[in-house]
Amino acid sequence: MSGRISVDEARELWLHASDDELMKLAQDARARWHEPNHATYMVMRIINYTNVCVAQCDYCAFYVLPNQEGGYVLSREDVFAKIDELLVVGGDLVGFNGGFNPRLPLDYYCDLFAAVRERYGDRVEFYALTIAEFVYLADHAKLTHAEAAARLRDAGVHWITGGGSEILTENFRARHAKWKYTVADYFEAQRAIVESGMRTTATMVIGFDETLDERLEHLQRTRDFQDELLAAGHEGLFSFLCWTYKPYGTEFAGVEISPQEYWRHIALSRIFLDNVKHVRTSVLTQNADAFRALDYGADDFDLPIEDEVTQKAGATIELDLDGLLAVPRSLGYTVEYRRAERPAALTA
Ligand code: SF4
């Protein structure tokens, strides 16, 4: 198989290709960008700055409603302490991720991110928000996406990542997360983020009740969006990260998909997304099984030391980072630490 594959061809591959066939095609696609036996990684921490949220997604075990018991907002000192701990274990990437908290105005975020940038400079990079939070914040502040993006960029933000996407079909959003955003909003916001000079990524979560066609629609939308960004001269989506739904303690519940299904999906994503350089595998939700996805086309991964959102839904985090890194090495990969890049548009 050569050249770009269609959605119909991707469906055929998923339904009829063996694991070995998918792996071979994904390895060929990976080799267009990366050395075959080499992978990169980061040590990072998700900082869940608030668990108060009004979106009420049925697959979420993390949130509490405003005025419900157990809601919190981290203080500046709490945030700094968590970043300091990350530096001690050798990490340098923070992902801020919280709920849609109606009591936190845009200024709260701008002040927090400016304070982090001032205190840590280039020693720490941070993914300031997910697209989902960004859409909520902009709407809440009654700003356009472009205006909100400019405010955050001017506060020192370099990255707003594609988190909160789960499955990007309007039907999935209506079934599970009808107050989160629409797919049209999601991409419109992501476009504004890119046009402001910040960088972004693509993500996906599988293992709910999504159909094969919904998975393929998500991949198609991602590839089309990347085509559009690159054609306009932007740096485009840095990476595509897929992780798996953790069903414990959620209203929707369900059962986890197998590692094999995850690996196959990583392979299909690598083959289909021929315009995205980095395909990332999720140690957060797959633990040591995540590394086998390197054979299925992934080239990069995080070693997270905290993420309350997925931990509340059943994820377990391994803190023996050397022990984790021994796994890809045992599979024949050299692994190299990667620092988050600064967007070219924001480089002085
Ligand atoms: S997934 Fe995010 S937006 Fe949805 S309820 Fe949970 S915290 Fe809120």
Side-chain angles (χ1 to χ4, degrees), residues 53 55-57 59-60 62-63 98-100 180:
C53 187
Q56 302 181 66
C57 309
Y59 47 75
C60 180
F62 168 67
Y63 75 94
F100 296 3
K180 199 165 179 179

Side-chain angles (χ1 to χ4, degrees), residues 44-50 72-89 91-96 119-120 124 305-308 311:
M44 62 96 69
R45 171 174 219 154
I46 309 262
I47 296 183
N48 306 109
Y49 54 89
T50 182
Y72 69 73
V73 177
L74 293 187
S75 69
R76 187 77 50 87
E77 291 67 35
D78 292 334
V79 169
F80 289 164
K82 283 177 180 286
I83 297 175
D84 291 345
E85 283 175 6
L86 175 69
L87 287 167
V88 168
V89 300
D92 64 356
L93 177 70
V94 172
F96 287 98
R119 182 178 163 108
Y120 296 97
V124 167
I305 64 168
E306 181 184 24
D307 176 31
E308 200 184 329
Q311 288 175 289

Side-chain angles (χ1 to χ4, degrees), residues 118-158:
E118 182 181 319
R119 182 178 163 108
Y120 296 97
D122 286 339
R123 286 190 301 145
V124 167
E125 188 50 278
F126 57 90
Y127 295 166
L129 299 160
T130 62
I131 306 283
E133 293 158 277
F134 173 80
V135 169
Y136 176 76
L137 278 187
D139 289 352
H140 196 54
K142 298 190 169 34
L143 296 175
T144 65
H145 294 148
E147 289 166 342
R151 290 275 304 277
L152 289 159
R153 178 201 61 208
D154 293 347
V157 172
H158 297 159

Side-chain angles (χ1 to χ4, degrees), residues 185-207:
D185 272 351
Y186 184 93
F187 283 110
E188 203 277 319
Q190 197 163 30
R191 189 175 296 107
I193 287 162
V194 171
E195 287 173 352
S196 78
M198 293 185 286
R199 292 215 70 181
T200 189
T201 63
T203 64
M204 180 172 192
V205 188
I206 59 170

Side-chain angles (χ1 to χ4, degrees), residues 40-43 92-93 127 159 238-239 278 280 299-302 336-341:
T40 47
Y41 73 100
M42 309 174 92
V43 175
D92 64 356
L93 177 70
Y127 295 166
W159 291 81
F238 178 82
S239 59
H278 295 288
R280 315 189 71 222
D299 64 281
D300 189 81
F301 57 90
D302 288 323
E336 180 187 0
Y337 196 83
R338 172 174 73 77
R339 289 199 52 133
E341 292 174 20

